[in-house]
Amino acid sequence: MQADTPPGRYTRNRLTSFVNDDLTFDVIDEGPLDGTPIVLLHGFPQTATQWSRLTPFLHESGYRTIAPVQRGYSPGARPRGRFAYRISALVGDTTALITALGDGPVHLVGHDWGSTVAWATAAQRPDLVRTLTSVSVPHPMAFARSLVSSSQAFRTCYMALFQLPWIPEAVISAAFRAAGPAGRPGLRRRAAALSGLDEEQFDRVRRDIVDSGALSYALNWYRAMPIVDRRRAGQKVSAPTTHVSSTRDVFMARRGAELTAEYVTGPFGHEILDATHWIPEERPAELAAIILARTGGAG
C-alpha cells in the first residue's frame, strides 16, 4: 500500500521542535520526508515514544509520522498552573504543529488524552484534519454521557483524586521508584501488571515521566478538566473518522464508544481489538492497519 498524495505542500526538513505560546515542544519526525504526514498525539502517562512500536508499519506504507511531546511533557513546554492546560491551549499546540509542517491538512491520530485533543482539534479546525483515528478515548460528549449510563464513573474515579494538590505526585512517584531497577523485582512485575503496562512500558514511564520531572505538569491536564467551554464540548466532527476501542480496557466503558457515532457527521467506523488500554504498544500492527484503512480512503 502506498501513501496517498498530499493535498498540500509540506516541509521536507525534519521537524525536531516547534514553538507555541513561547513554549518549545520536542518532536519525533520519522519516515519518508515526501510522505503524507500522520500526526500522532500521545496520552498519559507517556510521551511521543509510545508510538515507537507502531510507526514502522506506517513508514513501510510511505507515510511520514510526526509525534510531538506534548505540553507539560516537553522540558521546554512546562507552564505552571492548571489554566495553561485547558483544552483550548492543547488544541492551540496541535494547530501550531500542523501549521509548522506546511500548507495542508494532516491525518490525525490520538490515544488516551491525545485522543481527546484530537477530537477537539478535528471539531474546531476541520480545515487542518483530513482524517481522524481516535484510540481508546471516545468523543468528549460521548464520554460525558457514559458517566451516567455505564460503569464509566467508577472506571475513572482516579480523575477526582488527581484534583488533589501534591498527593497524587507523591503516591505515584513513590510507587514507580519502589518498583524501579533499585527496588524489588516482584513489586515491579506486580505494579506493571496492575497498570496493564508491560515491563518495558513501565520502565519508560518511570524514566520519561517520573524521573524527568514531568509528572506534576502531566497531572495538570486532569486538573484543568473543570475548565470546560460548554459551547464547544459537543461539537461534531466532519472528517472521516475511525474510533478504536478494546475488549480489556479497564479505564474505558463500552458505552462511550457506542455513543461516539452520534458526534461524527462524516464517514465513521468503530473497530474493536482484543487488547488492554495500551493499544498502540500491544497491537501495533493491527492498529496500523486500521489507521491505513482510514487514511487510504481520504486520498
Side-chain angles (χ1 to χ4, degrees), residues 105-176:
V106 301
H107 300 294
L108 189 59
V109 179
H111 173 251
D112 189 78
W113 261 110
S115 180
T116 300
V117 177
W119 279 111
T121 303
Q124 296 173 28
R125 293 298 308 268
D127 57 310
L128 298 181
V129 180
R130 295 187 70 192
T131 69
L132 171 64
T133 304
S134 61
V135 186
S136 298
V137 174
H139 186 281
M141 189 55 70
F143 175 80
R145 289 172 60 189
S146 73
L147 289 170
V148 295
S149 60
S150 70
S151 62
Q152 188 59 64
F154 172 76
R155 291 169 181 261
T156 47
C157 61
Y158 63 89
M159 292 183 178
L161 299 176
F162 284 177
Q163 301 302 312
L164 298 172
W166 71 265
I167 294 176
E169 287 93 325
V171 172
I172 294 172
S173 296
F176 270 91

Side-chain angles (χ1 to χ4, degrees), residues 177-226:
R177 285 170 180 151
R184 295 161 51 191
L187 179 61
R188 177 171 175 267
R189 287 192 295 271
R190 288 194 295 274
L194 181 64
S195 65
L197 301 166
D198 61 36
E199 291 191 43
E200 179 187 345
Q201 291 170 273
F202 186 86
D203 287 340
R204 185 178 293 173
V205 171
R206 176 186 51 76
R207 182 184 67 246
D208 293 350
I209 307 301
V210 178
D211 293 347
S212 76
L215 182 58
S216 288
Y217 304 99
L219 287 170
N220 277 339
W221 287 50
Y222 291 94
R223 291 166 178 155
M225 288 178 69

Side-chain angles (χ1 to χ4, degrees), residues 41 48 123 126 211 230 237 241 255 274 299:
L41 303 179
D211 293 347
R230 300 187 184 280
V237 169
T241 298
R255 184 60 176 157
D274 180 22

Side-chain angles (χ1 to χ4, degrees), residues 13-291:
N13 298 318
R14 287 293 178 199
L15 193 67
T16 59
S17 65
F18 72 97
V19 176
N20 187 47
D21 288 345
D22 294 324
L23 305 172
T24 301
F25 298 80
D26 298 330
V27 177
I28 299 177
D29 179 353
E30 298 177 313
L33 282 170
D34 60 348
T36 305
I38 299 179
V39 172
L40 305 164
L41 303 179
H42 69 81
F44 175 89
Q46 299 176 298
T47 69
T49 59
Q50 83 158 106
W51 302 106
S52 61
R53 300 180 190 177
L54 171 78
T55 51
F57 296 100
L58 303 179
H59 301 157
E60 287 175 5
S61 292
Y63 284 87
R64 176 182 178 184
T65 59
I66 313 292
V69 181
Q70 298 204 76
R71 182 175 293 229
Y73 297 85
S74 279
R78 294 178 179 173
R80 296 184 179 276
R82 66 175 185 166
F83 188 74
Y85 296 85
R86 64 200 186 281
I87 288 295
S88 60
L90 305 174
V91 170
D93 296 338
T94 305
T95 298
L97 169 63
I98 297 173
T99 301
L101 280 171
D103 176 24
V106 301
H107 300 294
L108 189 59
V109 179
H111 173 251
D112 189 78
W113 261 110
S115 180
T116 300
V117 177
W119 279 111
T121 303
Q124 296 173 28
R125 293 298 308 268
D127 57 310
L128 298 181
V129 180
R130 295 187 70 192
T131 69
L132 171 64
T133 304
S134 61
V135 186
S136 298
V137 174
H139 186 281
M141 189 55 70
F143 175 80
R145 289 172 60 189
S146 73
L147 289 170
V148 295
S149 60
S150 70
S151 62
Q152 188 59 64
F154 172 76
R155 291 169 181 261
T156 47
C157 61
Y158 63 89
M159 292 183 178
L161 299 176
F162 284 177
Q163 301 302 312
L164 298 172
W166 71 265
I167 294 176
E169 287 93 325
V171 172
I172 294 172
S173 296
F176 270 91
R177 285 170 180 151
R184 295 161 51 191
L187 179 61
R188 177 171 175 267
R189 287 192 295 271
R190 288 194 295 274
L194 181 64
S195 65
L197 301 166
D198 61 36
E199 291 191 43
E200 179 187 345
Q201 291 170 273
F202 186 86
D203 287 340
R204 185 178 293 173
V205 171
R206 176 186 51 76
R207 182 184 67 246
D208 293 350
I209 307 301
V210 178
D211 293 347
S212 76
L215 182 58
S216 288
Y217 304 99
L219 287 170
N220 277 339
W221 287 50
Y222 291 94
R223 291 166 178 155
M225 288 178 69
I227 308 171
V228 177
D229 184 345
R230 300 187 184 280
R231 296 170 300 173
R232 291 183 169 182
Q235 281 183 297
K236 296 184 178 182
V237 169
S238 59
T241 298
T242 299
H243 179 60
V244 185
S245 62
S246 50
T247 57
R248 293 178 282 115
D249 191 334
V250 298
F251 304 109
M252 291 291 126
R254 182 185 305 176
R255 184 60 176 157
E258 293 172 345
L259 292 168
T260 290
E262 298 180 24
Y263 298 95
V264 180
T265 60
F268 177 77
H270 177 206
E271 300 288 342
I272 304 173
L273 295 177
D274 180 22
T276 67
H277 182 72
W278 314 105
I279 295 173
E281 295 97 333
E282 192 173 336
R283 294 287 184 269
E286 293 92 331
L287 178 57
I290 292 170
I291 294 170

